[in-house]
Amino acid sequence: RSRHTRLHEKSRGLGDVYKRQVQEGASGVDMGRNIFQDAAPIAMIQAVRAVVHEDLAPDKAFEMYNDLAGQTA
């Protein structure tokens, strides 16, 4: 699999991790390379922000990410 495919698959599960962390009391998340190595970093930031600050469900955030990433492709 390509690097892009592996990163995209990994991105799908990140929403669940961040949602759980926020539910357990975290006030934010630390993304680092998960943002900057993503094929669409702006879309990734916006989707994670929606999970953390707008209580968006991870599956909806992944849809949002795909929509936004498609707009920049």
Side-chain angles (χ1 to χ4, degrees):
R1 294 184 299 193
S2 72
R3 178 176 171 266
H4 172 73
T5 301
R6 287 190 311 269
L7 288 171
H8 187 70
E9 289 171 356
K10 184 177 181 182
S11 299
R12 177 175 219 143
L14 290 174
D16 294 323
V17 171
Y18 299 135
K19 184 72 167 182
R20 186 174 59 251
Q21 289 173 343
V22 170
Q23 288 173 337
E24 292 175 358
S27 59
V29 296
D30 183 10
M31 296 275 313
R33 63 188 162 85
N34 290 310
I35 293 283
F36 301 110
Q37 290 181 355
D38 193 83
I42 293 171
M44 177 64 86
I45 289 169
Q46 291 173 330
V48 171
R49 182 190 177 284
V51 169
V52 174
H53 296 289
E54 299 172 16
D55 200 30
L56 189 66
D59 60 331
K60 296 295 181 189
F62 188 65
E63 288 176 22
M64 176 184 182
Y65 167 79
N66 284 325
D67 291 344
L68 292 170
Q71 292 175 11
T72 61

